[in-house]
Amino acid sequence: MLAVYAVGAVLLLGAVRAADGGEGPRGPARRGRAAVAAGAGVHVLVGLLGGLLGAQPGFAGSLSGVALAIAVVVVALPARLGVVAAVLAPLATGLQGASLLAPERHVVALDALDATWWLPLHMTLVLGAVALFLLELSVGAVQVVVRGRLKRKQLGALQRMPSLDVLDRLQVRALVAGVACLGLGLVVGSAGAATQLEHAGLVTDPKVAISAGIWLWYVIVLQARVRRGWHGWWGVRMSAVGVLALLFSWVALEFVAGGFHAYG
Amino acid sequence: MADLAAGAALSLVALGLSHHAAPVAVRERLAFDEDGVRAELSGLLGQGLAREALLLSTCNRVELYAVPQPGEEDHLRAHLGGLRVGGEPLSRYLYAHRGAAAVRHLFRVASSLDSLVVGEPQILGQVKEAVRVAASVGSLGAVLHRLTQRSLWVAKLVRTQTDIGRHTVGVGGAGVRLAHQLFASLDGRRALLVGAGEMGQEVAKAMVGSGLAELLVANRTLQRAVDLAQAFGGTPLPFDRIDDYLHRVDVVIVASGGGRFVVDRRQVAAALRLRRYRPLFLVDLSVPRAIDPEVDTLDEAFLFNVDHLVQVVEEGRQARVEASREAEAMVEVEAERFAQRLADLGANDALGALVRKVDALREVELARTTDVLDRLDPADRARVEAMMRAFQKRVLHGPLASLRAAARAGDADALARLLEAWELDR
């Protein structure tokens, strides 16, 4: 699976250099997307098999889940956004590779809970939100490159780049979808856990608290974009802060802090 | 005897003149309208000069593709060369291609490789129109029908498989292409044209053609703005009200003289605030410049000048040159393949006629010996008939191979001699 993702990423990166964007019938972009789609298909099957065999959700699984969500985005992106796909595909490959190296740690609190109905939904929404925020940041980075080239009048280099308004629309859509997914994920997780927990410690749980803060930050980012027109570098900086907070919450927090999300 | 298309396929000619050699004064006088094309084609067929004909008449070329009646090629050429344009005979401008070269020429023409502006898309429609008119007159036969259909197919192949049609060449197209770096589409966008400079008009015209929702036109002389707006289907605007409209448009094109800035940084900054920092595309085609270059330091203002448009035009030209090399190679391959098919088609008819003739001779000889053959038992009779067929096959092997080779080599004389020897040519 990792090898297939890697092949897809190499082909998509190569396609950015091709004169026609690699979109010919046998072009590298098409073959790259096909490879990523094949990888995602295998990924889903492996995930379903793991679920049937009773695998516990844990840190490595969450890395793999985000890799899968990004792979799905790569496949779904239209051809004219090939350069964004070329940024995301290596990210999916890297995350999948990291999931193989990451320690197999699972959330201890789940042992005492019957999490059959809400946990898969909670995890899908939250991991989906992470993928969408990574997409938003990647599109922002591409937008900064396009803007820079327009300002420097490097007109030949722009031929294979998507136009600014296409990137802008995709960025806003990723942001809106990410905010919605994270918000719903928080609600579903809190509601599901609250029905089975004896004490109401959810609000003070570090992971829940910082996730709510991240959600609020992204709502501000969205407002700033729509109301104040903060595109370009400003938008990317704000998104980068959000993604860094997400990474801290996702990778570091669960290892060092206690609470319901702590790894055993 | 059968209509032997072998000769027809090989005698295909393309006669004509084009922008390469004939000046516009000659081309415009010779140009045919649709009725003229019909009359000329009917005349060629009626006078017995051609068995098939197609006339392509555009502002850059007048070309006749024809399959002449046997022995009439020189008359056909004389007919065209003898046409006089303003007292001057056409023969000095006329070129002629024959057989495979004629096939290649039509493929190049339809693929826009022989056009004044290489890669322009109009020629494909013009070839289609010429085919339609010729079909309505009934002047397309087996050779020209196949040839024209194949040339349209090759032209589409060249357009889809190479970048020949992708790169703009004109200033107007360059402006649209730059605008597309900001906006995926100009549909629903509004633009403001300030001044009446020629390049500004060209860019505005190209943008209107690309789907602009509205074009506002401002000029120091209001009447000139009214006239221009009328020409482009836009809305005239008093020159002193530019500020009021700057935030309502997505594109600003300035082509105004006067030597002072018509649009400055303060105005654009105010407009950007009002449009909530949605990007603004500005093109300054004035020399000296009429948009303050400092405007480009604003984050959401993207200012381009005439040098940038020229740069896009030049990059497009170079890209077209590269794409046309690729296209030429494709045309070469397809032309060779088609000429081969055409030769095979002709040869097949001749081969068929030869085989049929020998078949008929064999049947006659068998009929003559019916009383002898009837005395044989069925097995022996079958053996005799098989022997005759085998003999026929061995005898024909040499002539058939020579016919096919002559057709493939485009050797019409050798073909004619072979056909004559077998009394198949008339």
Side-chain angles (χ1 to χ4, degrees):
Chain A
M1 184 197 321
L2 179 63
V4 181
Y5 278 152
V7 168
V10 170
L11 286 168
L12 285 165
L13 283 168
V16 175
R17 298 179 66 85
D20 63 346
E23 284 302 324
R26 296 175 64 79
R30 289 195 179 200
R31 285 184 287 148
R33 268 201 293 275
V36 174
V42 176
H43 204 149
V44 169
L45 287 176
V46 170
L48 289 174
L49 199 63
L52 289 174
L53 295 173
Q56 286 275 19
F59 179 59
S62 70
L63 287 170
S64 184
V66 175
L68 173 61
I70 292 174
V72 170
V73 170
V74 168
V75 175
L77 280 175
R80 64 183 168 169
L81 289 165
V83 66
V84 178
V87 173
L88 289 175
L91 192 59
T93 309
L95 285 168
Q96 185 57 26
S99 78
L100 301 176
L101 300 172
E104 272 303 332
R105 306 278 289 274
H106 74 277
V107 178
V108 179
L110 289 175
D111 295 341
L113 295 175
D114 174 19
T116 49
W117 70 269
W118 58 268
L119 187 64
L121 186 58
H122 167 68
M123 286 191 64
T124 303
L125 286 166
V126 172
L127 296 182
V130 174
L132 286 163
F133 290 138
L134 285 171
L135 166 68
E136 194 261 341
L137 182 63
S138 304
V139 176
V142 173
Q143 206 182 125
V144 167
V145 172
V146 173
R147 281 167 182 273
R149 288 181 176 179
L150 279 168
K151 286 291 183 187
R152 290 192 298 275
K153 314 303 175 198
Q154 293 173 330
L155 306 176
L158 286 165
Q159 276 177 30
R160 295 180 294 277
M161 289 293 194
S163 54
L164 275 185
D165 67 342
V166 168
L167 291 169
D168 203 52
R169 276 201 298 272
L170 178 63
Q171 213 178 354
V172 171
R173 282 177 191 167
L175 203 48
V176 169
V179 166
C181 280
L182 185 59
L184 279 172
L186 284 171
V187 169
V188 169
S190 304
T195 54
Q196 296 175 36
L197 292 171
E198 290 176 1
H199 54 84
L202 276 173
V203 178
T204 54
D205 179 79
K207 174 94 173 184
V208 175
I210 198 166
S211 296
I214 291 167
W215 180 82
L216 196 61
W217 173 253
Y218 273 112
V219 170
I220 293 168
V221 173
L222 192 57
Q223 282 292 313
R225 284 186 61 86
V226 176
R227 302 259 171 212
R228 308 277 306 166
W230 281 12
H231 311 268
W233 264 117
W234 274 111
V236 170
R237 282 177 192 144
M238 293 179 79
S239 298
V241 170
V243 166
L244 283 174
L246 266 176
L247 290 176
F248 171 72
S249 150
W250 179 27
V251 179
L253 196 65
E254 293 170 38
F255 286 100
V256 295
F260 302 124
H261 290 84
Y263 291 127
Chain B
M1 199 49 70
D3 176 24
L4 301 181
L10 294 172
S11 64
L12 169 72
V13 289
L15 304 169
L17 52 79
S18 72
H19 59 93
H20 291 300
V24 67
V26 172
R27 301 200 308 269
E28 72 189 3
R29 285 183 197 155
L30 183 65
F32 292 85
D33 60 10
E34 187 174 327
D35 289 340
V37 171
R38 284 177 196 281
E40 183 66 18
L41 291 176
S42 303
L44 291 172
L45 266 58
Q47 292 166 39
L49 290 174
R51 60 172 74 177
E52 297 183 37
L54 170 89
L55 188 58
L56 175 64
S57 178
T58 73
C59 49
N60 286 322
R61 69 185 63 246
V62 177
E63 288 178 338
L64 174 70
Y65 295 86
V67 177
Q69 290 286 6
E72 295 292 339
E73 185 183 328
D74 290 343
H75 293 131
L76 191 64
R77 198 183 289 217
H79 167 76
L80 220 64
L83 291 176
R84 284 177 176 271
V85 179
E88 189 182 15
L90 282 182
S91 50
R92 58 181 291 207
Y93 302 111
L94 215 58
Y95 48 72
H97 302 289
R98 203 162 180 273
V103 170
R104 187 183 305 110
H105 183 70
L106 182 57
F107 283 9
R108 290 189 75 247
V109 168
S111 305
S112 188
L113 289 169
D114 198 54
S115 296
L116 187 63
V117 176
V118 172
E120 53 89 9
Q122 288 83 6
I123 187 66
L124 188 56
Q126 289 162 336
V127 173
K128 278 183 189 167
E129 183 58 16
V131 172
R132 186 189 66 76
V133 174
S136 71
V137 173
S139 65
L140 294 185
V143 175
L144 281 185
H145 174 74
R146 283 183 172 87
L147 174 66
T148 52
Q149 292 309 309
R150 196 65 184 175
S151 67
L152 296 174
W153 181 84
V154 169
K156 282 177 193 158
L157 185 76
V158 164
R159 285 204 93 70
T160 52
Q161 301 283 310
T162 72
D163 283 348
I164 197 155
R166 275 180 62 180
H167 302 284
T168 186
V169 253
V171 169
V176 170
R177 194 159 142 220
L178 276 180
H180 279 161
Q181 297 299 336
L182 267 71
F183 314 118
S185 161
L186 287 175
D187 285 344
R189 304 272 173 191
R190 296 166 126 199
L192 168 64
L193 171 65
V194 182
E198 200 173 305
M199 275 204 283
Q201 288 186 45
E202 203 180 321
V203 172
K205 188 178 170 188
M207 286 193 174
V208 168
S210 295
L212 269 188
E214 188 179 9
L215 177 70
L216 304 172
V217 183
N219 196 278
R220 287 198 174 87
T221 314
L222 185 58
Q223 188 52 46
R224 185 80 179 109
V226 171
D227 293 344
L228 275 177
Q230 208 165 12
F232 291 125
T235 310
L237 197 69
F239 195 77
D240 56 6
R241 293 201 59 198
I242 290 174
D243 268 7
D244 301 339
Y245 285 85
L246 213 50
H247 69 283
R248 300 187 195 179
V249 297
D250 304 293
V251 176
V252 179
I253 307 158
V254 179
S256 165
R260 65 180 190 83
F261 294 142
V262 173
V263 177
D264 63 26
R265 193 178 189 280
R266 182 196 54 78
Q267 287 170 294
V268 176
L272 285 173
R273 256 194 314 279
L274 287 169
R275 44 190 282 119
R276 292 178 196 249
Y277 299 97
R278 280 180 292 121
L280 184 62
F281 175 64
L282 302 106
V283 192
D284 185 358
L285 298 166
S286 322
V287 180
R289 285 178 286 181
I291 300 180
D292 182 357
E294 284 296 302
V295 163
D296 205 36
T297 60
L298 294 165
D299 269 353
E300 302 303 327
F302 295 89
L303 172 63
F304 298 90
N305 61 36
V306 69
D307 283 354
H308 301 132
L309 260 66
V310 169
Q311 186 186 335
V312 172
V313 170
E314 181 55 22
E315 279 167 5
R317 195 190 61 75
Q318 282 175 8
R320 277 193 192 217
V321 168
E322 279 168 32
S324 65
R325 274 193 215 113
E326 204 182 327
E328 290 281 8
M330 287 171 76
V331 163
E332 192 62 38
V333 169
E334 292 301 330
E336 194 149 320
R337 200 174 283 168
F338 184 76
Q340 195 73 68
R341 272 178 51 191
L342 214 53
D344 284 348
L345 169 79
N348 286 343
D349 283 353
L351 297 179
L354 182 55
V355 170
R356 279 194 300 277
K357 176 161 187 175
V358 179
D359 272 346
L361 289 173
R362 179 170 50 83
E363 291 300 327
V364 168
E365 291 309 315
L366 281 171
R368 275 188 192 161
T369 52
T370 305
D371 51 340
V372 178
L373 291 175
D374 283 349
R375 287 202 291 274
L376 298 176
D377 64 60
D380 286 342
R381 185 185 171 125
R383 254 182 235 118
V384 170
E385 286 178 359
M387 182 199 69
M388 286 195 75
R389 274 196 295 273
F391 177 72
Q392 175 187 333
K393 205 171 165 185
R394 296 197 76 159
V395 167
L396 281 179
H397 178 76
L400 291 181
S402 302
L403 262 176
R404 194 171 277 122
R408 288 199 166 180
D411 188 346
D413 292 340
L415 195 60
R417 279 197 303 275
L418 270 164
L419 295 174
E420 201 174 342
W422 286 85
E423 296 177 330
L424 287 164
D425 56 337
R426 291 286 181 272

